Amino acid sequence: SINPSERDAAEGVPVGYGLMMDAGSTGSRVHVYRWVWRGDDKLPTITDDFFKQVKPGLSALSADPKIAAASLQPLLDYALTVMPPDAVKDTWVQLFATAGLRLLPKDTQDGLLEAVRDTLQASPFIFQRGSVAIASGVNEAVDAWVSANYILGGATATNPHETVGTIDLGGGSVQVCTRTDIPERDIPADQLFELSLG
């Protein structure tokens, strides 16, 4: 099998990585995205999504924030195995928690998030303390829409009919998102999200 450094060198174009961690109600996951920039593309081409999951989720371990944060270490260790060592110092890591943490009391949320920040800060990846947060349901919905439409090639389409809507059924919440050509004035403000891509 080819090692990550050889795989990246074979591309012949710039390669980048990013770690997105999802702290859901049933488990925590890492997606190690690998992308390349080809030609004049508006967006990079994602070539790989290396994935690993651990259970239970952070919310199930909320009684001890340090243990909860330590449960993420296998995900960070896995990320190091799928990337060339030289890429690590240029790779950011973010963690967004979803419904499992949204349902906890505020002081419990704060303690868990602070322990997670300490764990990610100690990792070799680029990290900013603001890169750990509880995602709103709106952000979850928009992220799912962007992901689906990126994969299907419609993320930068100018015609709403060239995109798809998404329904995300999570362990503790449901999000629905679609692009529309209904005039803005006819959409309730709390159901509208403006997004620019490309």
Side-chain angles (χ1 to χ4, degrees):
S1 107
I2 192 166
N3 75 42
S5 296
E6 292 170 346
R7 178 190 62 216
D8 286 6
E11 288 287 354
V13 293
V15 177
Y17 290 86
L19 274 64
M20 178 58 70
M21 300 179 86
D22 167 15
S25 58
T26 61
S28 297
R29 302 151 198 90
V30 67
H31 291 268
V32 182
Y33 294 107
R34 177 182 180 269
W35 60 81
V36 298
W37 288 95
R38 294 196 170 106
D40 295 327
D41 290 347
K42 289 183 182 178
L43 298 173
T45 300
I46 296 175
T47 58
D48 294 283
D49 174 3
F50 301 103
F51 175 83
K52 184 171 178 71
Q53 175 175 251
V54 294
K55 292 185 177 191
L58 293 177
S59 57
L61 302 169
S62 64
D64 190 330
K66 287 186 180 182
I67 289 175
S71 75
L72 302 173
Q73 192 60 50
L75 302 178
L76 295 167
D77 294 343
Y78 168 75
L80 294 171
T81 69
V82 299
M83 300 173 56
D86 290 350
V88 173
K89 69 181 181 339
D90 298 320
T91 300
W92 48 260
V93 59
Q94 297 183 38
L95 179 139
F96 288 99
T98 55
L101 259 67
R102 281 198 300 261
L103 298 173
L104 294 174
K106 176 88 169 85
D107 61 329
T108 304
Q109 293 174 2
D110 292 344
L112 282 169
L113 295 178
E114 199 56 30
V116 166
R117 288 181 184 107
D118 291 343
T119 295
L120 298 185
Q121 185 76 55
S123 80
F125 301 103
I126 297 170
F127 175 70
Q128 296 177 343
R129 294 190 77 79
S131 295
V132 169
I134 296 175
S136 70
V138 170
N139 285 342
E140 275 192 86
V142 172
D143 289 348
W145 183 91
V146 169
S147 297
N149 283 281
Y150 173 87
I151 291 166
L152 296 172
T156 58
T158 55
N159 181 347
H161 301 286
E162 295 174 9
T163 64
V164 297
T166 58
I167 300 173
D168 180 4
L169 303 170
S173 63
V174 175
Q175 291 79 35
V176 178
C177 187
T178 187
R179 185 169 171 203
T180 182
D181 53 8
I182 296 171
E184 240 181 81
R185 67 181 178 277
D186 296 334
I187 300 172
D190 66 341
Q191 296 179 17
L192 184 65
F193 187 93
E194 284 195 48
L195 178 69
S196 255
L197 294 173

